Amino acid sequence: EIVLTQSPATLSLSPGERATLSCRASQSVGSYLGWYQQKPGQAPRLLIYDTSNRASDIPARFSGSGSGTDFTLTISSLEPEDFAVFYCQQRYNWPYSFGQGTKLEIK
Amino acid sequence: EVQLVQSGGGLVQPGGSLRLSCAASGFTFTNYWMSWVRQAPGKGLEHVANVNLDGSEEYYVDSVKGRFTISRDNAKNSLYLQMNSLRVEDTAVYYCARGGARFHYWGQGTLVTVSS
């Protein structure tokens, strides 16, 4: 089973700042990595699929990069509504595992 | 508008059974694999099972293999999760999701609590 490790566990930033979230896989997942955002009491929302493709209706301030085992989600300039928990997920090998999450909180 | 409306869930004793349902609308159900994803209280996400377009292929995470069964009724545009031999560690919010591996649309989630 592929293990995804996200860092940091918590990221404290202010609106307008740039956020960089990392996801490392225990083995290569090619480009088959996605990112989800989850707010309290809500279902997750797909932000990025296959490393760098934004899902529909996702603002351009969200971008993804990486390949193989190291991936990054970047939010260029944080808006108040961006603060949430973010999960990476691989769809390279079953079971399609998720990372443990990074909580992005307001500083 | 794509909608996934879940029903079922609730409190069940260890060893008991429960069936979750997910009614799909707003898209051609037979064009998509479907999945169940769960989230234990305060924890991360776990992809539990998925099923192919006609229900002939199913995949399960090891922790539920032999106890859970995913199925679909394409005539009713519905997805199901039959959960047997439930354990305390199965306590979670269960989400149905469109897709086998990438989830653009999710149900509202339903809480399953396994406790004596």
Side-chain angles (χ1 to χ4, degrees), chain A residues 36 38 42-44 46 49-50 55-56 87 89 91 94-96 98 100, chain B residues 39 43-45 47 49-50 59-61 95 100-104 106-107:
Chain A
Y36 294 82
Q38 187 179 32
Q42 296 184 15
L46 178 65
Y49 64 93
D50 295 348
S56 44
Y87 295 96
Q89 183 228 2
R91 67 178 190 95
W94 180 260
Y96 300 140
F98 290 86
Q100 84 282 11
Chain B
Q39 186 169 36
K43 302 297 184 182
L45 301 165
H47 190 182
N50 63 12
Y59 297 90
Y60 300 92
V61 69
Y95 295 99
R102 183 170 76 211
F103 313 121
H104 285 82
W106 298 67

PDB file of all heavy atoms in Angstrom, chain A residues 36 38 42-44 46 49-50 55-56 87 89 91 94-96 98 100, chain B residues 39 43-45 47 49-50 59-61 95 100-104 106-107:
ATOM      1  N   TYR A  36      -7.551  17.673  -2.217  1.00  0.00           N
ATOM      2  CA  TYR A  36      -8.900  17.986  -1.798  1.00  0.00           C
ATOM      3  C   TYR A  36      -8.846  18.988  -0.647  1.00  0.00           C
ATOM      4  O   TYR A  36      -7.917  18.970   0.164  1.00  0.00           O
ATOM      5  CB  TYR A  36      -9.638  16.729  -1.309  1.00  0.00           C
ATOM      6  CG  TYR A  36      -9.898  15.717  -2.393  1.00  0.00           C
ATOM      7  CD1 TYR A  36      -8.904  14.820  -2.784  1.00  0.00           C
ATOM      8  CD2 TYR A  36     -11.136  15.643  -3.033  1.00  0.00           C
ATOM      9  CE1 TYR A  36      -9.129  13.893  -3.782  1.00  0.00           C
ATOM     10  CE2 TYR A  36     -11.374  14.721  -4.028  1.00  0.00           C
ATOM     11  CZ  TYR A  36     -10.364  13.845  -4.402  1.00  0.00           C
ATOM     12  OH  TYR A  36     -10.595  12.925  -5.392  1.00  0.00           O
ATOM     13  N   GLN A  38     -11.214  20.332   2.633  1.00  0.00           N
ATOM     14  CA  GLN A  38     -12.383  19.997   3.443  1.00  0.00           C
ATOM     15  C   GLN A  38     -12.564  21.013   4.560  1.00  0.00           C
ATOM     16  O   GLN A  38     -11.637  21.270   5.334  1.00  0.00           O
ATOM     17  CB  GLN A  38     -12.273  18.592   4.032  1.00  0.00           C
ATOM     18  CG  GLN A  38     -13.558  18.154   4.728  1.00  0.00           C
ATOM     19  CD  GLN A  38     -13.481  16.743   5.291  1.00  0.00           C
ATOM     20  OE1 GLN A  38     -12.426  16.285   5.710  1.00  0.00           O
ATOM     21  NE2 GLN A  38     -14.615  16.042   5.298  1.00  0.00           N
ATOM     22  N   GLN A  42     -18.382  19.544   6.239  1.00  0.00           N
ATOM     23  CA  GLN A  42     -18.653  19.446   4.810  1.00  0.00           C
ATOM     24  C   GLN A  42     -17.913  18.264   4.188  1.00  0.00           C
ATOM     25  O   GLN A  42     -16.917  17.784   4.729  1.00  0.00           O
ATOM     26  CB  GLN A  42     -18.224  20.721   4.088  1.00  0.00           C
ATOM     27  CG  GLN A  42     -18.983  21.966   4.500  1.00  0.00           C
ATOM     28  CD  GLN A  42     -18.574  23.184   3.683  1.00  0.00           C
ATOM     29  OE1 GLN A  42     -17.936  23.075   2.627  1.00  0.00           O
ATOM     30  NE2 GLN A  42     -18.953  24.366   4.152  1.00  0.00           N
ATOM     31  N   ALA A  43     -18.417  17.828   3.040  1.00  0.00           N
ATOM     32  CA  ALA A  43     -17.700  16.835   2.259  1.00  0.00           C
ATOM     33  C   ALA A  43     -16.454  17.474   1.648  1.00  0.00           C
ATOM     34  O   ALA A  43     -16.409  18.698   1.445  1.00  0.00           O
ATOM     35  CB  ALA A  43     -18.601  16.280   1.155  1.00  0.00           C
ATOM     36  N   PRO A  44     -15.452  16.677   1.355  1.00  0.00           N
ATOM     37  CA  PRO A  44     -14.270  17.224   0.664  1.00  0.00           C
ATOM     38  C   PRO A  44     -14.650  17.781  -0.713  1.00  0.00           C
ATOM     39  O   PRO A  44     -15.651  17.393  -1.313  1.00  0.00           O
ATOM     40  CB  PRO A  44     -13.351  16.005   0.526  1.00  0.00           C
ATOM     41  CG  PRO A  44     -13.802  15.063   1.588  1.00  0.00           C
ATOM     42  CD  PRO A  44     -15.291  15.259   1.680  1.00  0.00           C
ATOM     43  N   LEU A  46     -12.829  18.514  -4.514  1.00  0.00           N
ATOM     44  CA  LEU A  46     -11.661  18.283  -5.363  1.00  0.00           C
ATOM     45  C   LEU A  46     -11.128  19.610  -5.871  1.00  0.00           C
ATOM     46  O   LEU A  46     -11.861  20.415  -6.454  1.00  0.00           O
ATOM     47  CB  LEU A  46     -12.040  17.388  -6.539  1.00  0.00           C
ATOM     48  CG  LEU A  46     -10.922  17.088  -7.551  1.00  0.00           C
ATOM     49  CD1 LEU A  46      -9.808  16.281  -6.913  1.00  0.00           C
ATOM     50  CD2 LEU A  46     -11.495  16.356  -8.764  1.00  0.00           C
ATOM     51  N   TYR A  49      -6.435  17.601  -9.835  1.00  0.00           N
ATOM     52  CA  TYR A  49      -6.293  16.187 -10.148  1.00  0.00           C
ATOM     53  C   TYR A  49      -5.108  15.963 -11.071  1.00  0.00           C
ATOM     54  O   TYR A  49      -4.711  16.878 -11.800  1.00  0.00           O
ATOM     55  CB  TYR A  49      -7.584  15.605 -10.742  1.00  0.00           C
ATOM     56  CG  TYR A  49      -8.009  16.186 -12.067  1.00  0.00           C
ATOM     57  CD1 TYR A  49      -7.623  15.602 -13.262  1.00  0.00           C
ATOM     58  CD2 TYR A  49      -8.813  17.315 -12.118  1.00  0.00           C
ATOM     59  CE1 TYR A  49      -8.015  16.125 -14.468  1.00  0.00           C
ATOM     60  CE2 TYR A  49      -9.213  17.854 -13.316  1.00  0.00           C
ATOM     61  CZ  TYR A  49      -8.821  17.252 -14.496  1.00  0.00           C
ATOM     62  OH  TYR A  49      -9.215  17.787 -15.708  1.00  0.00           O
ATOM     63  N   ASP A  50      -4.536  14.778 -10.981  1.00  0.00           N
ATOM     64  CA  ASP A  50      -3.379  14.410 -11.798  1.00  0.00           C
ATOM     65  C   ASP A  50      -2.297  15.491 -11.758  1.00  0.00           C
ATOM     66  O   ASP A  50      -1.857  15.996 -12.790  1.00  0.00           O
ATOM     67  CB  ASP A  50      -3.815  14.091 -13.222  1.00  0.00           C
ATOM     68  CG  ASP A  50      -4.708  12.861 -13.285  1.00  0.00           C
ATOM     69  OD1 ASP A  50      -4.799  12.140 -12.272  1.00  0.00           O
ATOM     70  OD2 ASP A  50      -5.336  12.629 -14.332  1.00  0.00           O
ATOM     71  N   ALA A  55      -9.694  21.372 -10.966  1.00  0.00           N
ATOM     72  CA  ALA A  55     -11.070  20.914 -11.185  1.00  0.00           C
ATOM     73  C   ALA A  55     -11.941  22.109 -11.568  1.00  0.00           C
ATOM     74  O   ALA A  55     -11.532  23.269 -11.422  1.00  0.00           O
ATOM     75  CB  ALA A  55     -11.589  20.249  -9.926  1.00  0.00           C
ATOM     76  N   SER A  56     -13.131  21.799 -12.056  1.00  0.00           N
ATOM     77  CA  SER A  56     -14.019  22.873 -12.511  1.00  0.00           C
ATOM     78  C   SER A  56     -14.373  23.808 -11.356  1.00  0.00           C
ATOM     79  O   SER A  56     -14.580  23.371 -10.221  1.00  0.00           O
ATOM     80  CB  SER A  56     -15.274  22.297 -13.143  1.00  0.00           C
ATOM     81  OG  SER A  56     -15.794  21.246 -12.374  1.00  0.00           O
ATOM     82  N   TYR A  87      -6.125  17.518   1.826  1.00  0.00           N
ATOM     83  CA  TYR A  87      -5.670  16.131   1.715  1.00  0.00           C
ATOM     84  C   TYR A  87      -5.130  15.877   0.316  1.00  0.00           C
ATOM     85  O   TYR A  87      -5.738  16.301  -0.674  1.00  0.00           O
ATOM     86  CB  TYR A  87      -6.820  15.156   1.957  1.00  0.00           C
ATOM     87  CG  TYR A  87      -7.397  15.181   3.342  1.00  0.00           C
ATOM     88  CD1 TYR A  87      -8.525  15.939   3.638  1.00  0.00           C
ATOM     89  CD2 TYR A  87      -6.830  14.428   4.370  1.00  0.00           C
ATOM     90  CE1 TYR A  87      -9.063  15.959   4.909  1.00  0.00           C
ATOM     91  CE2 TYR A  87      -7.367  14.438   5.650  1.00  0.00           C
ATOM     92  CZ  TYR A  87      -8.483  15.207   5.905  1.00  0.00           C
ATOM     93  OH  TYR A  87      -9.011  15.217   7.175  1.00  0.00           O
ATOM     94  N   GLN A  89      -4.210  12.704  -2.406  1.00  0.00           N
ATOM     95  CA  GLN A  89      -4.698  11.352  -2.670  1.00  0.00           C
ATOM     96  C   GLN A  89      -4.047  10.815  -3.932  1.00  0.00           C
ATOM     97  O   GLN A  89      -3.945  11.527  -4.928  1.00  0.00           O
ATOM     98  CB  GLN A  89      -6.217  11.350  -2.848  1.00  0.00           C
ATOM     99  CG  GLN A  89      -6.827   9.970  -3.062  1.00  0.00           C
ATOM    100  CD  GLN A  89      -7.804   9.920  -4.223  1.00  0.00           C
ATOM    101  OE1 GLN A  89      -8.027  10.898  -4.918  1.00  0.00           O
ATOM    102  NE2 GLN A  89      -8.402   8.765  -4.445  1.00  0.00           N
ATOM    103  N   ARG A  91      -4.033   7.890  -6.996  1.00  0.00           N
ATOM    104  CA  ARG A  91      -4.873   6.915  -7.703  1.00  0.00           C
ATOM    105  C   ARG A  91      -4.008   6.055  -8.630  1.00  0.00           C
ATOM    106  O   ARG A  91      -4.433   5.612  -9.680  1.00  0.00           O
ATOM    107  CB  ARG A  91      -6.002   7.620  -8.481  1.00  0.00           C
ATOM    108  CG  ARG A  91      -5.541   8.469  -9.645  1.00  0.00           C
ATOM    109  CD  ARG A  91      -6.744   9.074 -10.362  1.00  0.00           C
ATOM    110  NE  ARG A  91      -6.388   9.706 -11.616  1.00  0.00           N
ATOM    111  CZ  ARG A  91      -6.460   9.114 -12.809  1.00  0.00           C
ATOM    112  NH1 ARG A  91      -6.896   7.869 -12.898  1.00  0.00           N
ATOM    113  NH2 ARG A  91      -6.137   9.771 -13.904  1.00  0.00           N
ATOM    114  N   TRP A  94      -4.318   0.613  -6.186  1.00  0.00           N
ATOM    115  CA  TRP A  94      -5.341   0.327  -5.188  1.00  0.00           C
ATOM    116  C   TRP A  94      -4.655  -0.242  -3.928  1.00  0.00           C
ATOM    117  O   TRP A  94      -3.750  -1.076  -4.054  1.00  0.00           O
ATOM    118  CB  TRP A  94      -6.351  -0.678  -5.728  1.00  0.00           C
ATOM    119  CG  TRP A  94      -7.418  -0.977  -4.716  1.00  0.00           C
ATOM    120  CD1 TRP A  94      -7.497  -2.059  -3.903  1.00  0.00           C
ATOM    121  CD2 TRP A  94      -8.520  -0.125  -4.377  1.00  0.00           C
ATOM    122  NE1 TRP A  94      -8.585  -1.938  -3.088  1.00  0.00           N
ATOM    123  CE2 TRP A  94      -9.237  -0.772  -3.354  1.00  0.00           C
ATOM    124  CE3 TRP A  94      -8.972   1.121  -4.835  1.00  0.00           C
ATOM    125  CZ2 TRP A  94     -10.376  -0.210  -2.780  1.00  0.00           C
ATOM    126  CZ3 TRP A  94     -10.112   1.654  -4.268  1.00  0.00           C
ATOM    127  CH2 TRP A  94     -10.795   0.991  -3.253  1.00  0.00           C
ATOM    128  N   PRO A  95      -5.048   0.142  -2.710  1.00  0.00           N
ATOM    129  CA  PRO A  95      -6.107   1.103  -2.406  1.00  0.00           C
ATOM    130  C   PRO A  95      -5.650   2.540  -2.635  1.00  0.00           C
ATOM    131  O   PRO A  95      -4.496   2.891  -2.374  1.00  0.00           O
ATOM    132  CB  PRO A  95      -6.393   0.856  -0.923  1.00  0.00           C
ATOM    133  CG  PRO A  95      -5.110   0.331  -0.380  1.00  0.00           C
ATOM    134  CD  PRO A  95      -4.485  -0.464  -1.486  1.00  0.00           C
ATOM    135  N   TYR A  96      -6.568   3.356  -3.126  1.00  0.00           N
ATOM    136  CA  TYR A  96      -6.249   4.743  -3.465  1.00  0.00           C
ATOM    137  C   TYR A  96      -6.201   5.585  -2.191  1.00  0.00           C
ATOM    138  O   TYR A  96      -7.183   6.157  -1.776  1.00  0.00           O
ATOM    139  CB  TYR A  96      -7.273   5.291  -4.443  1.00  0.00           C
ATOM    140  CG  TYR A  96      -7.339   4.514  -5.736  1.00  0.00           C
ATOM    141  CD1 TYR A  96      -8.555   4.255  -6.355  1.00  0.00           C
ATOM    142  CD2 TYR A  96      -6.193   4.031  -6.357  1.00  0.00           C
ATOM    143  CE1 TYR A  96      -8.629   3.543  -7.545  1.00  0.00           C
ATOM    144  CE2 TYR A  96      -6.254   3.322  -7.543  1.00  0.00           C
ATOM    145  CZ  TYR A  96      -7.475   3.063  -8.131  1.00  0.00           C
ATOM    146  OH  TYR A  96      -7.552   2.363  -9.303  1.00  0.00           O
ATOM    147  N   PHE A  98      -5.176   8.275   0.903  1.00  0.00           N
ATOM    148  CA  PHE A  98      -5.104   9.697   1.199  1.00  0.00           C
ATOM    149  C   PHE A  98      -3.969   9.962   2.174  1.00  0.00           C
ATOM    150  O   PHE A  98      -3.605   9.090   2.982  1.00  0.00           O
ATOM    151  CB  PHE A  98      -6.403  10.181   1.845  1.00  0.00           C
ATOM    152  CG  PHE A  98      -7.597  10.217   0.927  1.00  0.00           C
ATOM    153  CD1 PHE A  98      -8.383   9.091   0.737  1.00  0.00           C
ATOM    154  CD2 PHE A  98      -7.965  11.394   0.267  1.00  0.00           C
ATOM    155  CE1 PHE A  98      -9.494   9.119  -0.088  1.00  0.00           C
ATOM    156  CE2 PHE A  98      -9.076  11.427  -0.561  1.00  0.00           C
ATOM    157  CZ  PHE A  98      -9.834  10.299  -0.739  1.00  0.00           C
ATOM    158  N   GLN A 100      -2.578  12.237   5.524  1.00  0.00           N
ATOM    159  CA  GLN A 100      -3.233  12.456   6.825  1.00  0.00           C
ATOM    160  C   GLN A 100      -3.788  13.864   6.976  1.00  0.00           C
ATOM    161  O   GLN A 100      -4.500  14.149   7.944  1.00  0.00           O
ATOM    162  CB  GLN A 100      -2.250  12.143   7.969  1.00  0.00           C
ATOM    163  CG  GLN A 100      -1.315  13.296   8.334  1.00  0.00           C
ATOM    164  CD  GLN A 100      -0.147  13.482   7.388  1.00  0.00           C
ATOM    165  OE1 GLN A 100      -0.085  12.884   6.296  1.00  0.00           O
ATOM    166  NE2 GLN A 100       0.806  14.311   7.800  1.00  0.00           N
TER     167      GLN A 100
ATOM    168  N   GLN B  39     -14.690   8.581   6.920  1.00  0.00           N
ATOM    169  CA  GLN B  39     -13.858   9.454   7.742  1.00  0.00           C
ATOM    170  C   GLN B  39     -14.221   9.234   9.199  1.00  0.00           C
ATOM    171  O   GLN B  39     -15.312   9.618   9.629  1.00  0.00           O
ATOM    172  CB  GLN B  39     -14.060  10.910   7.337  1.00  0.00           C
ATOM    173  CG  GLN B  39     -13.147  11.884   8.018  1.00  0.00           C
ATOM    174  CD  GLN B  39     -13.216  13.264   7.390  1.00  0.00           C
ATOM    175  OE1 GLN B  39     -14.278  13.731   6.954  1.00  0.00           O
ATOM    176  NE2 GLN B  39     -12.081  13.946   7.315  1.00  0.00           N
ATOM    177  N   LYS B  43     -10.541  12.282  12.146  1.00  0.00           N
ATOM    178  CA  LYS B  43      -9.459  11.640  11.400  1.00  0.00           C
ATOM    179  C   LYS B  43      -9.513  11.979   9.920  1.00  0.00           C
ATOM    180  O   LYS B  43     -10.338  12.786   9.473  1.00  0.00           O
ATOM    181  CB  LYS B  43      -9.549  10.107  11.577  1.00  0.00           C
ATOM    182  CG  LYS B  43      -9.483   9.646  13.021  1.00  0.00           C
ATOM    183  CD  LYS B  43      -8.170   9.994  13.667  1.00  0.00           C
ATOM    184  CE  LYS B  43      -8.104   9.439  15.090  1.00  0.00           C
ATOM    185  NZ  LYS B  43      -6.823   9.820  15.765  1.00  0.00           N
ATOM    186  N   GLY B  44      -8.623  11.333   9.144  1.00  0.00           N
ATOM    187  CA  GLY B  44      -8.545  11.589   7.712  1.00  0.00           C
ATOM    188  C   GLY B  44      -9.498  10.716   6.919  1.00  0.00           C
ATOM    189  O   GLY B  44     -10.373  10.035   7.452  1.00  0.00           O
ATOM    190  N   LEU B  45      -9.306  10.745   5.604  1.00  0.00           N
ATOM    191  CA  LEU B  45     -10.189  10.064   4.665  1.00  0.00           C
ATOM    192  C   LEU B  45      -9.651   8.683   4.311  1.00  0.00           C
ATOM    193  O   LEU B  45      -8.434   8.492   4.204  1.00  0.00           O
ATOM    194  CB  LEU B  45     -10.321  10.906   3.386  1.00  0.00           C
ATOM    195  CG  LEU B  45     -10.876  12.309   3.589  1.00  0.00           C
ATOM    196  CD1 LEU B  45     -10.618  13.171   2.349  1.00  0.00           C
ATOM    197  CD2 LEU B  45     -12.365  12.257   3.883  1.00  0.00           C
ATOM    198  N   HIS B  47     -10.572   5.539   1.456  1.00  0.00           N
ATOM    199  CA  HIS B  47     -11.348   5.023   0.337  1.00  0.00           C
ATOM    200  C   HIS B  47     -11.670   3.561   0.632  1.00  0.00           C
ATOM    201  O   HIS B  47     -10.797   2.713   0.627  1.00  0.00           O
ATOM    202  CB  HIS B  47     -10.527   5.163  -0.947  1.00  0.00           C
ATOM    203  CG  HIS B  47     -11.296   4.878  -2.191  1.00  0.00           C
ATOM    204  ND1 HIS B  47     -10.697   4.922  -3.440  1.00  0.00           N
ATOM    205  CD2 HIS B  47     -12.594   4.566  -2.413  1.00  0.00           C
ATOM    206  CE1 HIS B  47     -11.602   4.643  -4.359  1.00  0.00           C
ATOM    207  NE2 HIS B  47     -12.760   4.433  -3.763  1.00  0.00           N
ATOM    208  N   ALA B  49     -14.265   1.384  -0.812  1.00  0.00           N
ATOM    209  CA  ALA B  49     -14.627   0.454  -1.885  1.00  0.00           C
ATOM    210  C   ALA B  49     -15.020   1.212  -3.129  1.00  0.00           C
ATOM    211  O   ALA B  49     -15.435   2.371  -3.052  1.00  0.00           O
ATOM    212  CB  ALA B  49     -15.789  -0.438  -1.444  1.00  0.00           C
ATOM    213  N   ASN B  50     -14.880   0.548  -4.271  1.00  0.00           N
ATOM    214  CA  ASN B  50     -15.443   1.101  -5.500  1.00  0.00           C
ATOM    215  C   ASN B  50     -16.025  -0.011  -6.356  1.00  0.00           C
ATOM    216  O   ASN B  50     -15.767  -1.201  -6.125  1.00  0.00           O
ATOM    217  CB  ASN B  50     -14.450   1.979  -6.260  1.00  0.00           C
ATOM    218  CG  ASN B  50     -13.219   1.228  -6.742  1.00  0.00           C
ATOM    219  OD1 ASN B  50     -13.177  -0.002  -6.719  1.00  0.00           O
ATOM    220  ND2 ASN B  50     -12.219   1.960  -7.182  1.00  0.00           N
ATOM    221  N   TYR B  59     -13.812  -3.460  -5.617  1.00  0.00           N
ATOM    222  CA  TYR B  59     -12.530  -3.431  -4.939  1.00  0.00           C
ATOM    223  C   TYR B  59     -12.744  -2.898  -3.528  1.00  0.00           C
ATOM    224  O   TYR B  59     -13.558  -1.994  -3.309  1.00  0.00           O
ATOM    225  CB  TYR B  59     -11.534  -2.554  -5.700  1.00  0.00           C
ATOM    226  CG  TYR B  59     -11.230  -3.093  -7.075  1.00  0.00           C
ATOM    227  CD1 TYR B  59     -11.999  -2.708  -8.172  1.00  0.00           C
ATOM    228  CD2 TYR B  59     -10.205  -4.004  -7.273  1.00  0.00           C
ATOM    229  CE1 TYR B  59     -11.741  -3.226  -9.438  1.00  0.00           C
ATOM    230  CE2 TYR B  59      -9.943  -4.524  -8.531  1.00  0.00           C
ATOM    231  CZ  TYR B  59     -10.718  -4.136  -9.600  1.00  0.00           C
ATOM    232  OH  TYR B  59     -10.467  -4.651 -10.848  1.00  0.00           O
ATOM    233  N   TYR B  60     -12.002  -3.480  -2.578  1.00  0.00           N
ATOM    234  CA  TYR B  60     -12.176  -3.129  -1.171  1.00  0.00           C
ATOM    235  C   TYR B  60     -10.819  -2.909  -0.510  1.00  0.00           C
ATOM    236  O   TYR B  60      -9.834  -3.581  -0.823  1.00  0.00           O
ATOM    237  CB  TYR B  60     -12.897  -4.259  -0.425  1.00  0.00           C
ATOM    238  CG  TYR B  60     -14.273  -4.579  -0.954  1.00  0.00           C
ATOM    239  CD1 TYR B  60     -14.454  -5.562  -1.920  1.00  0.00           C
ATOM    240  CD2 TYR B  60     -15.390  -3.876  -0.500  1.00  0.00           C
ATOM    241  CE1 TYR B  60     -15.707  -5.856  -2.419  1.00  0.00           C
ATOM    242  CE2 TYR B  60     -16.651  -4.161  -0.991  1.00  0.00           C
ATOM    243  CZ  TYR B  60     -16.796  -5.146  -1.947  1.00  0.00           C
ATOM    244  OH  TYR B  60     -18.048  -5.421  -2.453  1.00  0.00           O
ATOM    245  N   VAL B  61     -10.793  -1.992   0.438  1.00  0.00           N
ATOM    246  CA  VAL B  61      -9.625  -1.853   1.289  1.00  0.00           C
ATOM    247  C   VAL B  61      -9.579  -3.070   2.211  1.00  0.00           C
ATOM    248  O   VAL B  61     -10.626  -3.661   2.539  1.00  0.00           O
ATOM    249  CB  VAL B  61      -9.697  -0.524   2.077  1.00  0.00           C
ATOM    250  CG1 VAL B  61     -10.808  -0.564   3.116  1.00  0.00           C
ATOM    251  CG2 VAL B  61      -8.372  -0.172   2.676  1.00  0.00           C
ATOM    252  N   TYR B  95     -19.200   8.610   3.006  1.00  0.00           N
ATOM    253  CA  TYR B  95     -19.584   9.409   1.850  1.00  0.00           C
ATOM    254  C   TYR B  95     -19.656   8.512   0.613  1.00  0.00           C
ATOM    255  O   TYR B  95     -18.756   7.687   0.389  1.00  0.00           O
ATOM    256  CB  TYR B  95     -18.540  10.481   1.555  1.00  0.00           C
ATOM    257  CG  TYR B  95     -18.363  11.548   2.603  1.00  0.00           C
ATOM    258  CD1 TYR B  95     -17.329  11.479   3.533  1.00  0.00           C
ATOM    259  CD2 TYR B  95     -19.198  12.670   2.637  1.00  0.00           C
ATOM    260  CE1 TYR B  95     -17.139  12.471   4.477  1.00  0.00           C
ATOM    261  CE2 TYR B  95     -19.016  13.671   3.570  1.00  0.00           C
ATOM    262  CZ  TYR B  95     -17.987  13.568   4.495  1.00  0.00           C
ATOM    263  OH  TYR B  95     -17.803  14.560   5.419  1.00  0.00           O
ATOM    264  N   GLY B 100     -14.325   6.239  -9.631  1.00  0.00           N
ATOM    265  CA  GLY B 100     -13.662   5.107  -9.009  1.00  0.00           C
ATOM    266  C   GLY B 100     -12.379   5.486  -8.304  1.00  0.00           C
ATOM    267  O   GLY B 100     -11.874   4.757  -7.452  1.00  0.00           O
ATOM    268  N   ALA B 101     -11.832   6.648  -8.674  1.00  0.00           N
ATOM    269  CA  ALA B 101     -10.519   7.016  -8.134  1.00  0.00           C
ATOM    270  C   ALA B 101     -10.357   8.512  -7.934  1.00  0.00           C
ATOM    271  O   ALA B 101      -9.450   8.933  -7.234  1.00  0.00           O
ATOM    272  CB  ALA B 101      -9.423   6.532  -9.073  1.00  0.00           C
ATOM    273  N   ARG B 102     -11.195   9.298  -8.549  1.00  0.00           N
ATOM    274  CA  ARG B 102     -11.100  10.752  -8.494  1.00  0.00           C
ATOM    275  C   ARG B 102     -12.510  11.264  -8.301  1.00  0.00           C
ATOM    276  O   ARG B 102     -13.415  10.904  -9.042  1.00  0.00           O
ATOM    277  CB  ARG B 102     -10.500  11.263  -9.804  1.00  0.00           C
ATOM    278  CG  ARG B 102     -10.271  12.740  -9.869  1.00  0.00           C
ATOM    279  CD  ARG B 102      -9.474  13.042 -11.106  1.00  0.00           C
ATOM    280  NE  ARG B 102     -10.260  12.980 -12.310  1.00  0.00           N
ATOM    281  CZ  ARG B 102      -9.767  12.623 -13.496  1.00  0.00           C
ATOM    282  NH1 ARG B 102      -8.507  12.246 -13.600  1.00  0.00           N
ATOM    283  NH2 ARG B 102     -10.540  12.623 -14.562  1.00  0.00           N
ATOM    284  N   PHE B 103     -12.700  12.099  -7.291  1.00  0.00           N
ATOM    285  CA  PHE B 103     -14.054  12.375  -6.829  1.00  0.00           C
ATOM    286  C   PHE B 103     -14.428  13.842  -6.976  1.00  0.00           C
ATOM    287  O   PHE B 103     -14.130  14.671  -6.127  1.00  0.00           O
ATOM    288  CB  PHE B 103     -14.191  11.933  -5.369  1.00  0.00           C
ATOM    289  CG  PHE B 103     -13.628  10.557  -5.126  1.00  0.00           C
ATOM    290  CD1 PHE B 103     -12.616  10.360  -4.214  1.00  0.00           C
ATOM    291  CD2 PHE B 103     -14.098   9.464  -5.838  1.00  0.00           C
ATOM    292  CE1 PHE B 103     -12.082   9.096  -4.010  1.00  0.00           C
ATOM    293  CE2 PHE B 103     -13.573   8.198  -5.636  1.00  0.00           C
ATOM    294  CZ  PHE B 103     -12.561   8.011  -4.718  1.00  0.00           C
ATOM    295  N   HIS B 104     -15.114  14.155  -8.064  1.00  0.00           N
ATOM    296  CA  HIS B 104     -15.589  15.518  -8.278  1.00  0.00           C
ATOM    297  C   HIS B 104     -16.848  15.809  -7.493  1.00  0.00           C
ATOM    298  O   HIS B 104     -17.130  16.972  -7.181  1.00  0.00           O
ATOM    299  CB  HIS B 104     -15.872  15.756  -9.765  1.00  0.00           C
ATOM    300  CG  HIS B 104     -14.653  15.938 -10.608  1.00  0.00           C
ATOM    301  ND1 HIS B 104     -13.897  14.911 -11.092  1.00  0.00           N
ATOM    302  CD2 HIS B 104     -14.041  17.071 -11.056  1.00  0.00           C
ATOM    303  CE1 HIS B 104     -12.891  15.383 -11.807  1.00  0.00           C
ATOM    304  NE2 HIS B 104     -12.952  16.692 -11.804  1.00  0.00           N
ATOM    305  N   TRP B 106     -19.598  14.506  -4.288  1.00  0.00           N
ATOM    306  CA  TRP B 106     -19.733  13.731  -3.068  1.00  0.00           C
ATOM    307  C   TRP B 106     -21.166  13.835  -2.545  1.00  0.00           C
ATOM    308  O   TRP B 106     -21.830  14.849  -2.742  1.00  0.00           O
ATOM    309  CB  TRP B 106     -18.799  14.289  -1.985  1.00  0.00           C
ATOM    310  CG  TRP B 106     -17.339  14.222  -2.308  1.00  0.00           C
ATOM    311  CD1 TRP B 106     -16.681  14.923  -3.283  1.00  0.00           C
ATOM    312  CD2 TRP B 106     -16.350  13.448  -1.641  1.00  0.00           C
ATOM    313  NE1 TRP B 106     -15.336  14.609  -3.259  1.00  0.00           N
ATOM    314  CE2 TRP B 106     -15.106  13.719  -2.261  1.00  0.00           C
ATOM    315  CE3 TRP B 106     -16.378  12.549  -0.571  1.00  0.00           C
ATOM    316  CZ2 TRP B 106     -13.914  13.107  -1.846  1.00  0.00           C
ATOM    317  CZ3 TRP B 106     -15.190  11.949  -0.158  1.00  0.00           C
ATOM    318  CH2 TRP B 106     -13.986  12.231  -0.793  1.00  0.00           C
ATOM    319  N   GLY B 107     -21.604  12.788  -1.831  1.00  0.00           N
ATOM    320  CA  GLY B 107     -22.838  12.881  -1.086  1.00  0.00           C
ATOM    321  C   GLY B 107     -22.633  13.726   0.155  1.00  0.00           C
ATOM    322  O   GLY B 107     -21.519  14.190   0.445  1.00  0.00           O
TER     323      GLY B 107
END
